[in-house]
Amino acid sequence: MAEWWKKSTVYQIYPRSFMDSDGDGIGDIRGIIQKLDYLHELGVDILWLSPVYDSPNDDNGYDIRDYYQIMKEFGTMADFDELLEGVHARGMKLVMDLVVNHTSDEHEWFKNHPDFYIWRDEPTNWRSFFSGSTWEFEKERGQYYLHLFSKKQPDLNWDNPELREAVYEMMRWWLDKGVDGFRMDVINMISKVPVMHDAPGGDGSHQFMNGPNVHTYLREMNQQVLSQYDIVTVGEMPGTTPKEAREYTAAENRELNMIFTFEHMGLDQASGEKWDLKPLELTDLKENLEKWQHGLHDEGWNSLYWNNHDQPRIVSRFGNDTDYRVESAKMLATCLHFMQGTPYIYQGEELGMTNVRFDSIADYKDIETVNMYAEKSEVGIPHAVIMEKIHVKSRDNARTPMQWSAEPNGGFTTGTPWLKVNPNYTEINALQHKDPESIYQYYKKLIGFRKDMDIITHGNFELQYREDDELFAYTRSWNDELLTVYCNFSDQPKAAARPEGHVLIGNYSADAGEGDILLRPYEAVVYYK
Ligand code: ISL
């Protein structure tokens, strides 16, 4: 089947925070419908919706109670059908989030099909992603069930063929409705080792990430469901190496089209814990992205991302969100969008939205953040120290509502937003998107280049200036074409050899002349020959 997704750009919508049409403070499907022209104009090809299914929202929809219903706060199935139609009418595609490593404990399966879940008489020492143990005691049954995430997210037992069939049936139901693919939540965690045991530091990941049957199950899913439709699939896969990624994404293996890797998102942490902060070394980032560019070239396919609903805002993280916000947002976009793979833009990234700093833990809603705060304050870590971690890394940085305008609450809602709007909405908002110098318009150009230029899809990647800890430079080459990408990750001027060809795009006006070029703070420039 045609690999249309190799020239596509995906836009991720976190519905709860995108646009509220009815004033209840929660984004909804009709809100997305209102903004379809805004998305279409950006030029994105695929919209990915974070979960919109019925859920008690312990983890904002990643705890699904009913896969066949739309979450009440988000609207109705009729709204969803209208959205799908509106997306297709504009020539775009719609990808659903598929959360099948676990369900909500309020899913009827948990009561009526306990054998769809994982039970043990004794817990292991594993620690949940959201703090505490991964095991919860269920009194009636007298056993513990596994939950890698919150205790309201029991893990499904993929070794049970009936469960797998129930999942496939549900997937067919959505695909028959006309959706264009799935983003699969932690799909590399569905196969656990048959005998689970304690792990050093409570990190049981070797016993559930990329587990013994994961490829068997994905091939079965592909054969029974995915291969029957012209769709796109992306698997979210923490803890995965390029070698494993090749297995998941090589076309001949018939599993998934691409995966989300995590290594580049862990370079600013000092240990296995995401809250253990450490500044990014640019050389680490360069080396890592190079490894992935080479590792999947011709043998698989990459996703390219800086942001999603779990990550802090990239302009605050690897850029400069004070003096060079616009420049560094465009620079980061340039750095990513000339690589090989399918790029993902997370809502607000195209506006250069930033991290937020609320003083009170009461203003944070994310279960990961709230549980971490409780756990750390219990052992005596001071408020200010924990809040600093939250300001840098909390998932709520990504989840503050979209900033549409300078109206109250950024035009997101006429009510009280479920999570406070970043107070900088008066300066940073989508009203700017028509301005030819805006970050939005810059992204629009990048998306367009990918559609038109085969070199971006196929070219070889070569890192330049390997040792430089401020300049991220690389070339792409394809037949006799050459792209040279220079990105200055610092607020200092940076000299570099003038590349061949002419300037294709840059975030400053072109530096014409001879000899070396001098990159200005956070300058990005791309030459094409
Ligand atoms: O967000 C993380 C660290 O801050 C990750 O550990 C994250 O939990 C992991 O990447 C899995 O994420 C996915 O599954 C979770 C859900 O909370 C995330 O929002 C989702 O993207 C459980 O469904």
Side-chain angles (χ1 to χ4, degrees):
M1 271 182 205
E3 296 179 323
W4 44 266
W5 35 268
K6 289 195 171 173
K7 283 185 167 286
S8 297
T9 298
V10 185
Y11 187 97
Q12 183 192 352
I13 294 176
Y14 194 68
R16 200 173 194 79
S17 302
F18 191 64
M19 179 65 200
D20 174 21
S21 72
D22 61 3
D24 67 355
I26 297 173
D28 48 43
I29 291 174
R30 302 217 68 84
I32 304 172
I33 294 173
Q34 286 174 20
K35 298 296 181 184
L36 282 180
D37 286 330
Y38 168 90
L39 298 170
H40 181 50
E41 195 184 322
L42 181 59
V44 293
D45 307 277
I46 302 171
L47 304 182
W48 149 32
L49 293 187
S50 275
V52 293
Y53 316 93
D54 173 48
S55 162
N57 284 305
D58 194 51
D59 187 20
N60 288 356
Y62 283 91
D63 48 323
I64 297 173
R65 184 165 48 200
D66 185 343
Y67 291 102
Y68 295 91
Q69 299 287 333
I70 298 294
M71 193 191 298
K72 260 208 287 314
E73 300 90 309
F74 289 177
T76 62
M77 194 59 81
D79 295 330
F80 178 84
D81 292 341
E82 193 180 320
L83 171 65
L84 185 59
E85 222 179 278
V87 171
H88 286 163
R90 288 168 179 80
M92 297 187 288
K93 298 186 186 272
L94 190 72
V95 161
M96 301 293 278
D97 222 301
L98 182 79
V99 188
V100 290
N101 174 70
H102 45 268
T103 65
S104 164
D105 65 340
E106 298 181 30
H107 194 291
E108 64 91 11
W109 287 344
F110 199 56
K111 224 185 280 136
N112 302 330
H113 290 281
D115 51 334
F116 281 8
Y117 297 85
I118 299 171
W119 300 92
R120 271 179 55 122
D121 293 334
E122 293 297 328
T124 61
N125 71 341
W126 300 357
R127 285 181 43 82
S128 149
F129 286 102
F130 296 158
S131 305
S133 168
T134 55
W135 297 95
E136 181 73 9
F137 191 65
E138 213 276 312
K139 278 201 252 43
E140 264 171 51
R141 188 177 167 115
Q143 278 190 310
Y144 295 83
Y145 64 85
L146 178 70
H147 61 90
L148 297 179
F149 295 91
S150 106
K151 61 178 179 227
K152 287 186 65 61
Q153 291 168 299
D155 279 57
L156 286 165
N157 176 13
W158 274 71
D159 296 329
N160 182 336
E162 269 178 70
L163 175 269
R164 300 205 299 279
E165 188 41 47
V167 170
Y168 302 156
E169 191 183 312
M170 177 271 289
M171 293 172 71
R172 284 187 211 107
W173 189 86
W174 283 99
L175 292 167
D176 289 339
K177 205 181 225 321
V179 307
D180 303 291
F182 293 110
R183 173 271 187 189
M184 303 184 184
D185 195 63
V186 289
I187 199 70
N188 67 324
M189 302 192 194
I190 57 175
S191 170
K192 281 79 176 173
V193 295
V195 184
M196 305 175 199
H197 45 83
D198 284 355
D203 174 9
S205 55
H206 292 296
Q207 298 171 59
F208 59 78
M209 281 181 184
N210 309 312
N213 295 318
V214 67
H215 293 287
T216 311
Y217 297 153
L218 286 177
R219 281 171 205 178
E220 180 185 85
M221 179 199 282
N222 186 296
Q223 194 212 340
Q224 299 213 10
V225 186
L226 309 176
S227 59
Q228 314 296 314
Y229 302 84
D230 181 17
I231 55 171
V232 61
T233 54
V234 51
E236 188 207 25
M237 301 209 182
T240 298
T241 62
K243 182 169 173 288
E244 289 157 338
R246 280 198 292 273
E247 260 200 77
Y248 287 115
T249 64
E252 66 273 18
N253 287 355
R254 296 174 198 281
E255 297 186 21
L256 302 176
N257 297 143
M258 61 188 119
I259 72 167
F260 288 129
T261 66
F262 277 72
E263 287 183 346
H264 69 304
M265 292 282 104
L267 299 175
D268 55 358
Q269 69 192 47
S271 67
E273 199 200 84
K274 81 175 238 181
W275 307 107
D276 197 355
L277 308 180
K278 164 187 142 179
L280 174 77
E281 301 279 349
L282 186 66
T283 43
D284 290 345
L285 181 67
K286 287 158 63 167
E287 193 184 308
N288 189 265
L289 293 181
E290 177 195 37
K291 181 176 86 179
W292 281 93
Q293 286 291 299
H294 288 167
L296 292 183
H297 188 70
D298 287 339
E299 288 183 78
W301 194 249
N302 241 325
S303 310
L304 305 170
Y305 77 94
W306 287 136
N307 275 112
N308 59 42
H309 63 293
D310 292 333
Q311 299 294 336
R313 293 280 177 184
I314 200 64
V315 68
S316 304
R317 189 178 192 179
F318 296 169
N320 177 326
D321 66 4
T322 51
D323 298 340
Y324 297 102
R325 187 184 64 85
V326 173
E327 292 84 350
S328 64
K330 292 178 183 172
M331 182 279 286
L332 287 158
T334 313
C335 184
L336 198 69
H337 281 245
F338 281 94
M339 291 187 191
Q340 183 173 49
T342 299
Y344 287 71
I345 300 171
Y346 176 70
Q347 66 184 44
E349 182 181 337
E350 78 282 13
L351 306 175
M353 277 177 61
T354 69
N355 282 353
V356 74
R357 299 176 74 88
F358 299 130
D359 296 329
S360 164
I361 185 66
D363 286 331
Y364 287 87
K365 306 293 172 209
D366 171 29
I367 181 167
E368 182 191 50
T369 302
V370 171
N371 288 359
M372 180 282 276
Y373 184 93
E375 194 176 69
K376 292 211 188 296
S377 41
E378 215 162 274
V379 297
I381 301 181
H383 173 78
V385 173
I386 311 178
M387 289 318 284
E388 182 54 25
K389 297 179 189 298
I390 290 175
H391 294 158
V392 175
K393 279 287 184 71
S394 171
R395 307 198 296 184
D396 279 342
N397 283 306
R399 300 177 181 184
T400 60
M402 256 304 261
Q403 295 166 205
W404 293 107
S405 72
E407 307 275 299
N409 292 316
F412 162 72
T413 181
T414 54
T416 308
W418 71 275
L419 175 68
K420 282 189 181 167
V421 178
N422 191 320
N424 64 18
Y425 70 84
T426 46
E427 291 121 65
I428 304 172
N429 62 60
L431 289 181
Q432 293 137 16
H433 83 279
K434 300 258 183 215
D435 175 352
E437 299 301 316
S438 64
I439 302 170
Y440 176 104
Q441 292 295 331
Y442 194 90
Y443 267 93
K444 183 175 173 155
K445 285 186 200 145
L446 296 176
I447 296 164
F449 289 141
R450 177 170 302 270
K451 287 204 192 94
D452 298 339
M453 298 174 75
D454 286 344
I455 182 172
I456 300 179
T457 319
H458 303 294
N460 291 316
F461 175 97
E462 286 304 326
L463 192 65
Q464 312 285 323
Y465 294 98
R466 175 176 302 279
E467 310 299 328
D468 198 302
D469 58 5
E470 294 176 332
L471 177 64
F472 197 143
Y474 61 88
T475 57
R476 302 289 308 278
S477 52
W478 174 247
N479 300 328
D480 52 359
E481 291 175 75
L482 180 73
L483 280 168
T484 307
V485 180
Y486 281 168
C487 292
N488 182 1
F489 272 70
S490 83
D491 59 4
Q492 297 301 311
K494 196 85 212 166
R498 185 175 298 274
E500 293 178 75
H502 66 270
V503 173
L504 181 69
I505 189 171
N507 61 353
Y508 283 79
S509 56
D511 159 12
E514 312 251 302
D516 279 2
I517 58 175
L518 198 62
L519 296 162
R520 288 153 280 190
Y522 294 98
E523 180 161 358
V525 63
V526 181
Y527 282 74
Y528 173 70
K529 174 182 88 88

